[in-house]
Amino acid sequence: MEALRKKIEKEGQALSENILKVDSFLNHQMDPVLMKEIGQEFASRFQGREITKVLTIESSGIGPGLMAALELGVPMIFARKRKSLTLTDDLLTASVHSYTKNETNDITVSSKYIKKNDKVLIIDDFLANGQAALGLIEVCEKAGAIVAGIGIVIEKSFQDGGKRLREGGYQVESLARIGQLNVGEILFESEKEMHKA
Ligand code: 5GP
């Protein structure tokens, strides 16, 4: 996705060899025009998969998740990272270790909103080691729903989440793939190959 790539090149900051900061358009301030395009791209990549629900995790998955759901014409659910006093229904839960915060949260989704045989598209902002996606898959499995695919805005392909999920048989679509990060330098997967040559 060209617009996303340009945005990462212009505004992304490699804080270390592992962490990319994109607070100006995805993780703090959100760019609605870019989010709309991201939603359209996800919808086109998962067209024909008969998606009935989009599932994401708060908070940074909500922007792209909602835009994808709008394009697909289905509801979006976000898993909560903290117990809510108003969430008193039967809960589907999974334990997720947060890559950036280095803490483990029990994520929860009400069983009211994901049902047996729902075809779920999982969306998240980043894919690193795959913990968030695996937690969301576990939630779907507990509901008896089918994971129809996984849509990621930015995949860091030097970490093993993508490999793990694809080997698990899931269709993973990432809109940008980062091959390497050095402090102050962002190399996309395609550039990493050129760098090596
Ligand atoms: P994973 O669960 O795949 O290990 O990590 C994905 C989650 O960690 C995402 O939901 C995202 O919030 C966060 N994350 C992982 N790597 C990065 C990163 O480089 N930058 C930012 N902003 N978030 C990240």
Side-chain angles (χ1 to χ4, degrees):
M1 235 192 94
E2 199 47 33
L4 176 61
R5 186 191 171 104
K6 283 204 177 119
K7 201 80 171 167
I8 294 170
E9 276 171 345
K10 192 159 170 249
E11 299 179 23
Q13 278 176 273
L15 294 185
S16 68
E17 289 180 4
N18 292 316
I19 298 285
L20 177 63
K21 181 172 173 171
V22 287
D23 273 20
S24 66
F25 63 90
L26 183 59
N27 290 137
H28 193 24
Q29 175 171 260
M30 283 198 187
D31 178 336
V33 175
L34 183 66
M35 288 305 132
K36 187 173 177 208
E37 218 180 298
I38 284 171
Q40 288 166 339
E41 184 67 28
F42 280 138
S44 97
R45 293 196 190 197
F46 291 100
Q47 219 179 22
R49 300 301 301 259
E50 298 172 339
I51 311 285
T52 60
K53 296 277 166 90
V54 170
L55 175 64
T56 188
I57 184 164
E58 66 177 349
S59 51
S60 294
I62 295 176
L66 186 63
M67 288 311 202
L70 179 66
E71 289 298 324
L72 290 163
V74 299
M76 183 213 70
I77 304 121
F78 63 92
R80 291 181 185 268
K81 285 182 182 159
R82 305 211 192 289
K83 282 234 163 66
S84 157
L85 290 176
T86 58
L87 206 59
T88 52
D89 314 315
D90 277 347
L91 298 177
L92 304 162
T93 62
S95 190
V96 170
H97 184 77
S98 163
Y99 183 79
T100 44
K101 299 201 177 88
N102 196 21
E103 61 183 27
T104 301
N105 295 299
D106 281 335
I107 62 163
T108 51
V109 172
S110 164
S111 60
K112 237 191 204 165
Y113 301 119
I114 302 187
K115 296 287 187 197
K116 193 168 182 307
N117 297 331
D118 258 327
K119 289 191 178 156
V120 180
L121 172 60
I122 291 173
I123 297 281
D124 205 6
D125 58 341
F126 271 89
L127 177 60
N129 295 318
Q131 295 304 307
L134 288 167
L136 294 170
I137 291 170
E138 191 179 330
V139 162
C140 291
E141 281 171 351
K142 285 185 174 164
I146 298 150
V147 176
I150 301 167
I152 300 291
V153 181
I154 304 174
E155 175 178 352
K156 291 181 291 176
S157 47
F158 55 90
Q159 293 172 310
D160 70 355
K163 186 167 176 270
R164 215 189 265 183
L165 296 172
R166 290 183 181 100
E167 281 177 1
Y170 297 102
Q171 179 186 349
V172 181
E173 296 286 341
S174 345
L175 306 188
R177 301 188 78 200
I178 307 294
Q180 195 179 321
L181 293 172
N182 301 309
V183 179
E185 184 185 35
I186 301 164
L187 289 175
F188 289 86
E189 188 59 37
S190 51
E191 291 171 336
K192 197 181 93 182
E193 290 310 312
M194 275 154 47
H195 225 240
K196 267 193 214 154

